Amino acid sequence: MTTATRSAVDEVRRLVEAVPDPELPLISLGDLGVIRDVALADDGVVEVTITPTYTGCPAMETIHGSIRAVLAGCGHPDGRVRQVLSPAWTTDWISTDGLRKLAENGIAPPGPAGAPLPVRIGIGVPCPNCGSAATRPQSAFGATRCQSILVCTACRETFAHMRAT
């Protein structure tokens, strides 16, 4: 890959990683960990590889369209978006900045996806409003399927929690 081509691919990566998630616009696709790769394919076309947060995510069509618009807008109208399911997306791919943005917007960020089960059961999800771990589930699904609704028994506020996968 030439320096000019590497520079163009790096610019495309920067632009697509900045695209807001359509269901949680407070966080970008890059911070969410959905953007897996941006590279020049064998045929010379820029290809963006993405992994959905879960199979059947209803936002994928919008995400594909947003990325195609970025590709066209930066001079790659023939660019491709390729979706891969393996390895499956994990909340461990959310950036530190993304976790901070979720918490700042009242969504309890997930804990590590690989945490041993006893730790996940023994410690409640900290309330983004008061910080208490005295929380309990209220609804399996929130505004999106990748969220659940919890209630804090300390401050009595409900809040969204991005479920670990």
Side-chain angles (χ1 to χ4, degrees):
M1 186 184 297
T2 66
T3 305
T5 304
R6 186 182 327 272
S7 175
V9 169
D10 289 346
E11 176 67 6
V12 170
R13 177 182 297 278
R14 186 184 66 76
L15 293 170
V16 297
E17 286 185 348
V19 171
D21 178 74
E23 293 181 325
L24 294 169
L26 58 107
I27 188 170
S28 71
L29 296 179
D31 281 335
L32 193 54
V34 170
I35 306 295
R36 295 285 297 281
D37 192 25
V38 179
L40 203 58
D42 291 340
D43 61 0
V45 175
V46 174
E47 188 172 86
V48 178
T49 305
I50 61 174
T51 297
T53 55
Y54 72 95
T55 305
C57 175
M60 288 313 294
E61 186 175 327
T62 302
I63 290 170
H64 277 257
S66 296
I67 293 172
R68 281 192 296 270
V70 167
L71 287 166
C74 65
H76 302 281
D78 58 344
R80 289 188 292 261
V81 181
R82 186 171 67 96
Q83 183 174 310
V84 296
L85 301 177
S86 181
W89 179 86
T90 169
T91 52
D92 290 342
W93 294 355
I94 300 174
S95 71
T96 302
D97 196 40
L99 293 171
R100 180 189 53 77
K101 289 175 187 176
L102 288 171
E104 286 176 352
N105 286 276
I107 299 173
L117 191 54
V119 172
R120 291 174 110 177
I121 290 173
I123 299 174
V125 174
C127 173
N129 301 303
C130 73
S132 172
T135 59
R136 62 177 174 76
Q138 182 176 32
S139 176
F141 295 104
T144 66
R145 290 184 179 178
C146 55
Q147 294 179 35
S148 60
I149 301 296
L150 285 83
V151 64
C152 177
T153 58
C155 70
R156 301 192 187 277
E157 291 291 326
T158 58
F159 61 95
H161 173 246
M162 190 161 196
R163 295 186 291 177
T165 56

